[in-house]
Amino acid sequence: MTIVRARGRAREGGCPCCGCPSARVRDRYHRQFQDVPLAALPVRIVLEVRRFACVNAACSQRTFASRYLTSPAHTPAAPTDSAPS
Ligand SMILES: [Zn+2]
C-alpha cells in the first residue's frame, strides 16, 4: 500500500458559523482516507488538518477545522432544482 501524507497550506481559515477569519491554530490532527483508487493501486491518504480557534468572542463556535475539497465529510450538498410551488 502506498501512503501519501499531505497538509494544507492555508495560514488561516474562516469560521463556518460567523465567517470571521482566524490564523490562531489551536491544534492539528490527521484524517485518513483509505481505499482511494490511484492507477488501480491501494492508496491511503493521511491529511494533516489544522483546527483554528474562532477569534470572535460573540461566536458560539470555539474551534473549526480547515476544509478541503478532498474531504467527503465536508462536501457540500448538491443544490436541488426544486422550485417552491
Ligand atoms: Zn466564529
Side-chain angles (χ1 to χ4, degrees), residues 6-85:
R7 86 170 64 145
R9 298 179 63 186
R11 298 195 181 271
E12 67 177 32
C15 175
C17 184
C18 68
C20 278
S22 175
R24 265 182 45 196
V25 178
R26 179 170 179 158
D27 60 15
R28 294 172 172 83
Y29 64 95
H30 291 95
R31 184 176 294 164
Q32 294 189 33
F33 305 94
Q34 296 185 34
D35 302 323
V36 180
L38 180 64
L41 298 172
V43 175
R44 177 187 302 163
I45 297 174
V46 180
L47 177 64
E48 183 182 280
V49 178
R50 290 181 184 155
R51 192 180 346 246
F52 294 96
C54 182
V55 295
N56 181 357
C59 182
S60 62
Q61 183 93 30
R62 299 204 178 266
T63 63
F64 58 93
S66 295
R67 294 188 169 204
Y68 301 97
L69 294 176
T70 57
S71 173
H74 293 130
T75 302
T80 61
D81 293 328
S82 60
S85 52

